[in-house]
Amino acid sequence: MTEVMIGMPKVGGLDGVPTSSEKLTRKDFSSDAEVRWCPGCGDYAILAAFQGFLPELGIARENVVMISGIGCSSRFPYYVDTFGMHSIHGRAPAIATGLAATRPDLSVWVITGDGDALSIGGNHLIHALRRNVNLKILLFNNRIYGLTKGQYSPTSEVGKVTKSTPVGSLDTPFNPVSLALGAEASFVARTLDSDRKHLTSVLTAAAEHNGTALVEIYQNCNIFNDGAFEILKNPDTRDEAMIRLEHGEPLIFGVKRKRAVVQSGFGFEVVDVDDNLDPESIVRHDAHCEDPAYAFALSRLSGSDLAHTPMGIFRQVKRPTYDSSLQTQLHAAIDQGPNDLQELLRGK
Amino acid sequence: MTEVMIGMPKVGGLDGVPTSSEKLTRKDFSSDAEVRWCPGCGDYAILAAFQGFLPELGIARENVVMISGIGCSSRFPYYVDTFGMHSIHGRAPAIATGLAATRPDLSVWVITGDGDALSIGGNHLIHALRRNVNLKILLFNNRIYGLTKGQYSPTSEVGKVTKSTPVGSLDTPFNPVSLALGAEASFVARTLDSDRKHLTSVLTAAAEHNGTALVEIYQNCNIFNDGAFEILKNPDTRDEAMIRLEHGEPLIFGVKRKRAVVQSGFGFEVVDVDDNLDPESIVRHDAHCEDPAYAFALSRLSGSDLAHTPMGIFRQVKRPTYDSSLQTQLHAAIDQGPNDLQELLRGK
Amino acid sequence: MSKHVQQLDRVVIRIAGDSGDGMQLTGDRFTSETASFGNDLSTLPNFPAEIRAPAGTMAGVSSFQLHFADHDIVTPGDRPDVLVAMNPAALKANIKDIPDGKDVIVNTDEFTTRNLSKVGYDSNPLEDDSLSRVRIHPVPLTSMTVEALKDFDLGKKDAQRSKNMFALGLLSWMYNRPTADTEAFLLRRFAKQPVIAHANLAAFKAGWAYGETTESFSVSYEVAPAPVQPGTYRTITGNKALALGLTAAAQRAELPLFLGSYPITPASDILHELSALKSFNIATFQAEDEIAGVAAALGAAFGGALGVTTTSGPGISLKSETIGLAVSLELPLLIIDVQRGGPSTGLPTKTEQADLLQTMYGRNGESPLPIIAPKSPGDCFDAVIEAVGMALTYRTPVILLSDGYLANGSEPWEVPNVSELPDLRVEFATEPNGDDGTFQPYKRDPDTLARPWAIPGTKGLEHRVGGIEKANITGEISYDPDNHDMMVKLRQAKVDGIAQTYAPTEIDDPTGDAKVLALGWGSTYGPILAGVRRVRHDGGKIAHAHVRHMNPLPSDLGDILRRYDTVVVPEMNLGQFALLLRAKYLVDIQSYNKVRGLPFGATELGELFASIVKEAQSDD
Amino acid sequence: MSKHVQQLDRVVIRIAGDSGDGMQLTGDRFTSETASFGNDLSTLPNFPAEIRAPAGTMAGVSSFQLHFADHDIVTPGDRPDVLVAMNPAALKANIKDIPDGKDVIVNTDEFTTRNLSKVGYDSNPLEDDSLSRVRIHPVPLTSMTVEALKDFDLGKKDAQRSKNMFALGLLSWMYNRPTADTEAFLLRRFAKQPVIAHANLAAFKAGWAYGETTESFSVSYEVAPAPVQPGTYRTITGNKALALGLTAAAQRAELPLFLGSYPITPASDILHELSALKSFNIATFQAEDEIAGVAAALGAAFGGALGVTTTSGPGISLKSETIGLAVSLELPLLIIDVQRGGPSTGLPTKTEQADLLQTMYGRNGESPLPIIAPKSPGDCFDAVIEAVGMALTYRTPVILLSDGYLANGSEPWEVPNVSELPDLRVEFATEPNGDDGTFQPYKRDPDTLARPWAIPGTKGLEHRVGGIEKANITGEISYDPDNHDMMVKLRQAKVDGIAQTYAPTEIDDPTGDAKVLALGWGSTYGPILAGVRRVRHDGGKIAHAHVRHMNPLPSDLGDILRRYDTVVVPEMNLGQFALLLRAKYLVDIQSYNKVRGLPFGATELGELFASIVKEAQSDD
Ligand SMILES: Cc1ncc(C[n+]2csc(CCOP(=O)(O)OP(=O)(O)O)c2C)c(N)n1
Ligand SMILES: Cc1ncc(C[n+]2csc(CCOP(=O)(O)OP(=O)(O)O)c2C)c(N)n1
Ligand code: SF4
Ligand code: SF4
Ligand SMILES: [Mg+2]
Ligand SMILES: [Mg+2]
């Protein structure tokens, strides 16, 4: 393991991670463990997409590590035949930080839920983001606590009736994308459990990003919050609701691409594409915009009702990562010395 | 205490808080406790301003509660002769949430530091903000851990040399204003220890805001991080560095008011005020802008170097508060019943 | 066909199936019927940590056990007299617990080759003779349910869902249960889906009819009602009893209740119950984590509310720093720990008693607080009222130690008369208490050593408290060495003084000359008592006592222990209570420790006690 | 004027002043001079929690005590032979500790009416006869310093700052200390501000010259060097020794060290020290809180680093859930708890031993781990190396329990020979270990019961671990009751097994027939030994033993305890170790508990032991 710890700053998120000598397949990443989610749970689709996409990265299987917290979603690592740790509630980003900081030769994935990441684990999440540790955080957002049988979560809409809020919840939810951007995130994306192609493309970009990548995955919990993302899945509504983000492409969407996103003040507005609309006024998506104000504004387009929901990569910018900087400091010091333990003990 | 728990939603942050029958003065709010900050510490100025401003609110002294965490700044409550609790590190917003939620007749203030609020207490802070509990959070940001003798904090600039980072810190700092906005804050402001007038005006607005108000106060720690805000204090530099935010006023600043802020993309840019500049292009500050994208963009104007630092109220909008909503639910239920304990126990 | 009816004095049934099969609901219904019939009863739900693991897998098996009798019983029973297995997984997971010759009802429809191989059955156990030691009743439950519902406007899947009601009908027939309750329940529960309601009803009746008519069941059983003290009874789980007890305590204290909590198995239901009781001036706050939950409760307590937090072991770990603050602030606060299997995430849905020492010592510094452990589901009500009283009187955080078995298990509970519940009203400070007209926040009541509870909004009592050491009386920050020593000892003395309020420890020793004492705490009460009864039934002499006050321990306990040659303490941990007893009384406790995530069996403890009693005898 | 030089065998000095007066630095310098002179020594810094409370207030007083001798000593001394009081507050705060007839040097410049009244002196104690019981030496320290520096280009304020160096010069003269070290130090320390450097030097020399010339001091003292074993010595604090020990351990294990930590008094200096040792492949991570600190260390350990976290009591509370995860994962991890006064924030800068039971039991479920407590600042080095070895060998979290006194106190320490330090290299798993060619993450070493450490990047060993209960050997999630019982007991057995590695407990009983055993743990070693020596000096018989392995306890301890009529255990808590001993061995321990935030005094314990020994004698 020390071989790759050469203290060279990474450029891509997978730099320094050994490649696989064999051609790996989906099956190589499927463990023997019995999958224990409810039938119909959106987690199955995400698992399938993930196991399908991992071999594409071409990296050695033994250099992939999955670290999760607690929740239905956090069972994920058991089903992926790599190294994995099912840790405790909310702490996965912190555990993964220690691992990623010391092992630049690994591709480290954090699997977490909306409760795990945003409720008990909120602090570790925002600190990982500001530090820009080379972690890929997949946040399975089903807007509910699944494993504890259905209490509202920090992403549940106001007024949500659940076991713990029989007359409706009172708290304004977080918008995970806004929160991440407020926490200096260098990569933030959103995707959907059932859209395998989109999911795969976002995961690929995340894997290759050097630094902390937060990927919010809308995930259906068919037991306790069924249909939460129906508007984005139902063929009758999804085209009007989903705004696909492609870097450099204009933000056009809707049935027959009849809707577009234009700037309005410091924010965005959805307008009809018609003859009155100057095509130049349609915003071209710029995921690489240095100023996070752009991505932040984009994140405010969608409220709890998901009526206009941007999906894709909001922000993807380069900035120094904690782990590379740490390794650089460390190796500079090791090279420079002192390294003689006896001298150190003597205190001279 | 139960008298005022009438379950009526508040409009102003002090609604329901009894007014004082006598005219109170600064002295009424000074406790006997010996102030134990280092001579020269910025905390003294904040304390003086605070004790001077409190009587102006006209509320009963016994209905003011100060709750702090741990840190030099968190000693503050001992010096203010109201009810107070010096709690534990990072937990003040959570403690205050329980108090404010049950006691609408109190004016509850949280006193915290950059370590207390943003490091160990980050999660409670962002959750208080999204819930919009009627708390006034004064974040004394000296960009250092004072009480533990000078380690870097989550607001220290990258490369900071401290006891725990002898060759420089690696973590990108939080911008507390951006973070708060990402967490759905309804009131966010920034002010300066030494500017009593500005401090007072911001505190007054915070007190009257209904919901969570976050006030970042730049505070000099003359022992471990002296001069951190010198650029905003030194007569030679401050006019060029400080952008005062006044709702409805154009963002003009600089020596002889020769600088202005204009929109650039989704963000801001500082330009010279000269003949080429269309005065209409100068942004007029809108603290009440519904879309937080505006305030967020504004928060990005200043980096760690504070070269262009907006000071004042970034955002001030109305939205339902957790405490009022809770009291409303509670009183509706109490009115509606059932209220018969015997029947409840019988399970009929 | 008229069938033979056999009288029994007690029966243990267990129904087992997929997590999605509605086994817990079925069990609850049967319990309800049994309660309304008037049997004494005790239940043990047992389910996996996953919500609904894939159908037909061992991981997905959920079960419910009920013990009912014509006499007073104290445990959910060791081994079932009848098992209902809804599929091969349920059979496989449970068959080892069924004694020879007992009845096993299996849903044959699920015994397909695929389902059998899913759980590792090479051949169909219903067809080979591997199960000849029990009495198998093969019933095509699913298809008979579908058949019974063929006239309903339901898809096959939906119809199949009612198979649990078919099974319930069959069981209800077998044990001659009254059915009116269940019928009313189904109509209520599915009031908005009348087709479903009636389909379930039909399935239930079909099950009953099947029992009555088929030759496969030649006898039905009757278990007569148990004699009870007059009073109103209802069946109650521990978590429900805690919620009701908290409500009662708040009402008797005339305080608003504020619950700050973060969901965690097996404590979440207390949050759920209380969140539905807003009309009793109960506010529930689902916090961002356990720390915020207890912190908010402490903040509310500072403001004069009854502050409560509920959690399980991992949550106690997280709350420990804040509980320490509460100890230092000397404010009333109630912390409920519903223990589950540990360490770490452990066995979240199973029971254990391994948080005793954590609750005693899991805080930095000398940080004493009272701990109370209820002994049965119904006792949770009384225990929590006592705990609240202690917190209010002594201005101290109090921990109530329940566990997963108490939380979800149920028993009949006599509804108390509200007017007979203790008066818990407290007096907030209203006046300065210092000789010089100032307010002294740490001036103590000479009897209880409690400090005044002076809440914000009270003019003239403005003061500051904090977690730093403070001077006694004035409450000002103090680094004085002698003051610190005194404060550490005062806080300890305050808690120790609570033992004065206890009634003498009850010792159950019918002959008065037993040499062996069986001693327990918490939820082992039932199994220990059942074990003791067995010994006595066989003529052995054994005394029994049970401790509910884990800290401070009762003052008479040392003398009691020393009276016996052998003191045996069964615990679902590695001997935590025994450690406290040994340390305090220097008595050589005989520990019996099993940490299986399940309550002890009555037989297990009966045999254990019998052998100890025998040994003690032979030592003479 | 030639002065009388008096020979002394030992001296205790204490210098006290404002937090801003540089008392700690002055103390360090005097210590350094004393060490280089070759005395044995022991120090006790004592400072408030505030950084620099306002000048002249009681709250701001900071002091430093040094005990040095011509023979082996073990405590920083009880009561000073000489006190330097830089202002009235320092005098007031410390005078009660000064025995009659001893020397008190006061800075008269600070004895203004304003300063006197600030601390409640109605009249000037230098002028009334309230201090006649001691020998007052009034010295205008500030003005003489200013006078001495009048030729320097310095403001008055800056000149005054050097008054601590003047005091140091005077003390150095009084005790004939070598000055070369201090001179070199000042030039080094202020290398970038030569004026300041030379001003301090001048003040230092002026202080020395003042002692030599003034009539106020008629004698100076000599304390001869102590005989020492040959070897290289340096003065070391406990925190420094921990940092060096960790570095040595990592090097001897050939592992990168990863420290995840959150600053907290009195542990922060370990973080500071290690962050300056990057060149030894030591990464330090200042985490967002204590939980993240230990979590990151655990993540690093999963990846094959030596994972370490450092904190104090409140941090242990917060880390407890994650430590429980480490117990369940069975990974090596080192947790250092530098205990301070509690409960809650307590007395952050003072010492205490009240986290023992928290570290033993402060986690949910049965969650055993080894605990090691060093006995002196220098011993921290050995203890942490042993702790690392245990963690690596047994694949377990280990807690090292230091305290505030060890952390900041110092003593001479013999620099070890690196080649004689233990070889701590570990073998990571490289191959599947299952019979069927699979990897079994919970297959245990038959001797140690340790599981393999299989780190990411190792082909063929891909596996998942977690905090849910798992099947032994395979590590798969298991809810099986019997497996859980076995795992709970296996984890306990693994930790218990560590006692096999201990050397026999050393008993110091010169006559071999003592009836009283003084037993200690942790930092009470010095005071207990000093007390024991006093008893023996007066002809009393008393045995002495010290426990460093708090868990598991040494296997021979029970027999040892039973050998004595009385076992006395002094602790800076309410009897936590005594509780463990009583519970485990059923031996009636006599506890002596003082919780004052300060180490015990030698006299205090000497008198205690003497009275116990006398009583034991009279019992004959
Ligand atoms: C310390 C701690 N607190 C609480 C819990 C209980 N708990 C387990 S998962 C969970 C929330 C799960 O919600 P989420 O993260 O959204 O995951 P999901 O199940 O919805 O995938 C909670 C509260 C726990 N296991 N540990
Ligand atoms: C649980 C816990 N962890 C750590 C500490 C130590 N500690 C006290 S204050 C502090 C940070 C103070 O920094 P900040 O909040 O910025 O306040 P300042 O002193 O700068 O005003 C720390 C780490 C503590 N008291 N409690
Ligand atoms: S409860 Fe919801 S999130 Fe959890 S496994 Fe079932 S469907 Fe999925
Ligand atoms: S250390 Fe800094 S922040 Fe703390 S009191 Fe001193 S000057 Fe103020
Ligand atoms: Mg969820
Ligand atoms: Mg600070």
Side-chain angles (χ1 to χ4, degrees), chain C residues 93-215:
Chain C
N94 291 285
I95 189 68
K96 64 178 180 314
D97 294 339
I98 312 302
D100 290 357
K102 296 297 182 181
D103 294 303
V104 176
I105 300 170
V106 293
N107 177 9
T108 50
D109 289 328
E110 291 289 325
F111 280 65
T112 60
T113 321
R114 200 164 153 268
N115 285 352
L116 287 165
S117 75
K118 226 186 237 176
V119 295
Y121 274 128
D122 292 334
S123 70
N124 188 339
L126 306 181
E127 287 163 10
D128 58 30
D129 57 1
S130 59
L131 296 181
S132 55
R133 62 175 195 84
V134 296
R135 209 150 39 157
I136 296 280
H137 302 269
V139 182
L141 272 165
T142 315
S143 45
M144 289 180 64
T145 305
V146 172
E147 176 61 22
L149 305 185
K150 66 175 185 293
D151 295 340
F152 284 79
D153 182 18
L154 279 177
K156 195 171 156 201
K157 273 257 162 83
D158 281 332
Q160 288 179 347
R161 276 218 192 103
S162 298
K163 64 180 179 293
N164 60 333
M165 285 302 117
F166 188 101
L168 179 63
L170 173 56
L171 277 176
S172 302
W173 168 80
M174 256 180 100
Y175 292 100
N176 286 284
R177 302 287 92 183
T179 59
D181 240 39
T182 294
E183 291 170 14
F185 168 85
L186 289 172
L187 295 175
R188 208 166 56 237
R189 163 104 173 198
F190 298 107
K192 287 185 188 148
Q193 300 147 287
V195 179
I196 306 275
H198 285 96
N200 273 300
L201 210 55
F204 178 67
K205 290 185 173 164
W208 180 289
Y210 175 77
E212 219 164 24
T213 50
T214 181
E215 301 193 0

Side-chain angles (χ1 to χ4, degrees), chain C residues 319-592:
Chain C
K319 290 175 199 284
S320 53
E321 191 204 10
T322 310
I323 299 174
L325 174 63
V327 168
S328 179
L329 296 185
E330 304 191 39
L331 280 171
L333 182 70
L334 182 68
I335 300 116
I336 295 181
D337 177 4
V338 186
Q339 300 165 95
R340 63 189 218 182
S344 195
T345 308
L347 295 177
T349 58
K350 312 287 173 185
T351 195
E352 201 158 293
Q353 295 184 295
D355 287 350
L356 174 59
L357 293 176
Q358 172 177 230
T359 50
M360 281 291 293
Y361 300 118
R363 293 168 295 279
N364 61 297
E366 292 291 349
S367 183
L369 48 69
I371 302 171
I372 297 188
K375 65 183 180 187
S376 71
D379 187 42
C380 286
F381 182 87
D382 298 324
V384 81
I385 289 180
E386 186 182 359
V388 167
M390 247 178 222
L392 295 176
T393 306
Y394 289 88
R395 313 285 149 85
T396 177
V398 175
I399 294 185
L400 183 138
L401 264 185
S402 177
D403 66 27
Y405 165 50
L406 296 180
N408 295 318
S410 62
E411 65 173 3
W413 173 66
E414 190 190 345
V415 174
N417 206 318
V418 166
S419 61
E420 286 162 18
L421 296 176
D423 180 349
L424 299 179
R425 282 174 300 177
V426 283
E427 280 179 20
F428 294 124
T430 53
E431 303 279 319
N433 57 353
D435 301 333
D436 54 352
T438 59
F439 179 61
Q440 309 281 11
Y442 278 79
K443 186 163 170 186
R444 297 169 186 282
D445 178 287
D447 290 335
T448 58
L449 298 180
R451 72 178 194 90
W453 193 4
I455 67 171
T458 320
K459 195 168 176 147
L461 305 194
E462 295 82 0
H463 69 281
R464 277 65 54 196
V465 293
I468 297 201
E469 190 57 285
K470 54 206 76 64
N472 198 35
I473 303 178
T474 67
E476 278 161 18
I477 290 183
S478 166
Y479 302 146
D480 179 63
D482 294 323
N483 174 73
H484 179 52
D485 189 58
M486 178 176 66
M487 287 296 273
V488 165
K489 289 170 181 169
L490 269 174
R491 284 184 287 257
Q492 184 67 50
K494 181 173 86 164
V495 171
D496 288 345
I498 297 177
Q500 297 165 10
T501 64
Y502 304 163
T505 302
E506 283 174 38
I507 305 166
D508 162 31
D509 182 2
T511 60
D513 60 350
K515 301 197 160 168
V516 174
L517 173 68
L519 183 70
W521 70 277
S523 77
T524 53
Y525 174 76
I528 292 176
L529 179 55
V532 162
R533 285 182 183 169
R534 280 172 200 230
V535 172
R536 291 184 188 154
H537 183 263
D538 296 343
K541 290 180 181 172
I542 184 165
H544 176 217
H546 197 77
V547 174
R548 107 201 256 92
H549 299 110
M550 310 311 294
N551 195 46
L553 289 170
S555 348
D556 55 4
L557 193 58
D559 287 341
I560 293 171
L561 299 188
R562 286 185 209 101
R563 241 178 268 157
Y564 296 89
D565 293 352
T566 307
V567 178
V568 52
V569 178
E571 294 183 79
M572 297 186 292
N573 61 37
L574 293 184
Q576 302 196 357
F577 183 41
L579 179 131
L580 296 179
L581 294 173
R582 291 170 64 95
K584 181 141 187 167
Y585 305 114
L586 296 178
V587 167
D588 193 4
I589 304 295
Q590 184 163 341
S591 275
Y592 179 74

Side-chain angles (χ1 to χ4, degrees), chain B residues 34-39 44 70 75 88-89 91 115 119-120 145-147 149 151-152 163-164 166-167 223-224, chain D residues 47 49-54 57 59 262-265 268 271-272 275-276 278 284 286-290 318 344-345:
Chain B
E34 193 170 47
V35 184
R36 297 189 187 181
W37 289 309
C38 305
Y44 283 98
I70 298 285
R75 292 294 182 89
I88 46 176
H89 200 29
R91 314 301 169 191
S119 202
I120 192 167
Y145 290 176
L147 191 65
K149 305 196 175 175
Q151 300 83 12
Y152 79 115
K163 283 196 183 132
S164 57
V167 288
I223 300 295
F224 297 114
Chain D
F47 43 85
E50 294 78 17
I51 301 310
R52 209 161 283 186
T57 62
Y262 187 70
I264 187 167
T265 307
S268 309
L271 164 64
H272 304 157
S275 65
K278 292 188 175 47
T284 56
Q286 183 177 309
E288 58 271 26
D289 65 10
E290 280 83 354
L318 289 166
S344 195
T345 308

Side-chain angles (χ1 to χ4, degrees), chain A residues 38-41 72 142-153 156-157 160-163 219-228, chain C residues 19 49-52 272:
Chain A
C38 304
C41 176
C72 293
N142 54 12
R143 296 181 158 197
I144 200 84
Y145 290 177
L147 191 65
T148 45
K149 305 198 175 171
Q151 299 83 11
Y152 79 116
S153 91
S156 298
E157 60 280 14
K160 182 100 185 163
V161 173
T162 69
K163 283 197 184 132
Q219 172 245 323
N220 192 41
C221 166
N222 54 308
I223 301 294
F224 297 113
N225 201 19
D226 198 21
Chain C
S19 309
E50 295 79 14
I51 303 307
R52 210 163 282 186
H272 303 157

Side-chain angles (χ1 to χ4, degrees), chain B residues 114-115 140 142-146:
Chain B
D114 43 325
F140 291 34
N142 54 10
R143 295 180 160 197
I144 200 83
Y145 290 176

Side-chain angles (χ1 to χ4, degrees), chain C residues 364-365, chain D residues 261-268 270 290 309-319 335-342 344-345 347-350 352 355 358-359 401-404:
Chain C
N364 61 297
Chain D
S261 185
Y262 187 70
I264 187 167
T265 307
S268 309
I270 313 171
E290 280 83 354
T309 192
T310 50
T311 191
S312 184
I316 291 290
S317 294
L318 289 166
K319 289 175 199 283
I335 301 115
I336 296 182
D337 177 5
V338 186
Q339 300 164 94
R340 65 188 215 181
S344 195
T345 308
L347 295 176
T349 57
K350 312 289 172 184
E352 199 158 295
D355 288 350
Q358 173 177 230
T359 51
L401 264 185
S402 178
D403 66 27

